[in-house]
Amino acid sequence: KQEVTQIPAALSVPEGENLVLNCSFTDSAIYNLQWFRQDPGKGLTSLLLIQSSQREQTSGRLNASLDKSSGRSTLYIAASQPGDSATYLCAVQGDYGGSQGNLIFGKGTKLSVKP
Amino acid sequence: DTGVSQNPRHKITKRGQNVTFRCDPISEHNRLYWYRQTLGQGPEFLTYFQNEAQLEKSRLLSDRFSAERPKGSFSTLEIQRTEQGDSAMYLCAVSGVHEQFFGPGTRLTVL
């Protein structure tokens, strides 16, 4: 059974700092891995998708890496801003013979960026 | 704009009442998913549709829950005889080429 763990559960940093959020998963047979952002009481916003054959993806100040064999992904946020404050969720999608499965989520990392 | 709308956004009901939520993707998507999220947890998979066919249901989906996607476009999720443990955010998602896009969710509170 696939399990996704995110560390730390919460993180508070001063504005401008670079930071890394960690995600680990127990079954390396994944189709892809997706990072989401969730603001309080809101739905999920997709940030980055890494397919199983890829090692990293970048979007603006965000960079996500994937090491499928070790079951790990990191989300790097450069030059953090107060507007980055949110919960960041990591999710893996199972690979069923090339067919997409449902997403399995971690519990998230709650990020607070102080001005 | 995620391309997925959900209604209502908030629902407060009394224990034992039935509730129905609706998910409307803006454009055509073959796959549509329902997830449930409780406070402090990540979303958990409930069920998914390939066009109008419901192909998978998780063990979280008790017999009080039913979902439909009659024409392969919008979907409804009904909960009968609601219980306080049903209080959660119910999220709908559609699948693009590779990634999933989520709607804003329906927040259910059962008193």
Side-chain angles (χ1 to χ4, degrees), chain A residues 32 34 38 46 100 103 107, chain B residues 31 35 37 95 99-100:
Chain A
N32 60 41
Q34 210 168 340
Q38 186 173 33
S46 179
Q100 299 174 29
L103 290 174
K107 293 184 179 181
Chain B
R31 290 182 178 232
Y35 293 84
Q37 185 179 26
S95 199
E99 60 193 293
Q100 290 189 20

Side-chain angles (χ1 to χ4, degrees), chain A residues 17-37:
Chain A
E17 194 162 295
N18 302 328
L19 58 101
V20 174
L21 307 182
N22 296 292
C23 171
S24 62
F25 47 96
T26 55
D27 186 347
S28 61
I30 63 170
Y31 186 79
N32 60 41
L33 183 145
Q34 210 168 340
W35 281 94
F36 293 89
R37 169 188 172 133

Side-chain angles (χ1 to χ4, degrees), chain A residues 76-106:
Chain A
Y76 175 83
I77 303 177
S80 58
Q81 302 170 358
D84 295 331
S85 298
T87 295
Y88 290 80
L89 292 156
C90 166
V92 297
Q93 191 167 31
D95 186 353
Y96 305 116
S99 175
Q100 299 174 29
N102 55 278
L103 290 174
I104 299 171
F105 285 84

Side-chain angles (χ1 to χ4, degrees), chain B:
Chain B
D1 184 1
T2 64
V4 181
S5 65
Q6 291 188 247
N7 288 289
R9 297 291 306 278
H10 303 275
K11 179 71 177 178
I12 300 174
T13 191
K14 293 183 179 178
R15 187 162 49 98
Q17 298 294 305
N18 300 341
V19 294
T20 300
F21 312 139
R22 179 171 169 130
C23 171
D24 281 272
I26 290 177
S27 57
E28 287 187 9
H29 293 274
N30 290 343
R31 290 182 178 232
L32 184 147
Y33 301 79
W34 285 98
Y35 293 84
R36 181 175 74 182
Q37 185 179 26
T38 54
L39 202 61
Q41 304 295 314
E44 295 174 292
F45 169 72
L46 292 177
T47 188
Y48 95 89
F49 292 84
Q50 174 83 26
N51 299 315
E52 65 273 12
Q54 188 174 17
L55 295 187
E56 189 175 346
K57 293 190 279 189
S58 88
R59 283 172 290 181
L60 293 176
L61 213 67
S62 76
D63 56 6
R64 296 184 298 105
F65 288 69
S66 63
E68 293 183 341
R69 195 181 185 200
K71 296 182 180 179
S73 55
F74 72 92
S75 177
T76 58
L77 178 67
E78 181 183 16
I79 309 175
Q80 296 183 326
R81 305 181 303 282
T82 52
E83 302 174 354
Q84 288 185 324
D86 297 331
S87 295
M89 175 80 90
Y90 290 83
L91 295 159
C92 173
V94 295
S95 199
V97 176
H98 295 293
E99 60 193 293
Q100 290 189 20
F101 299 96
F102 282 75
T106 294
R107 168 73 65 189
L108 173 66
T109 302
V110 182
L111 302 176

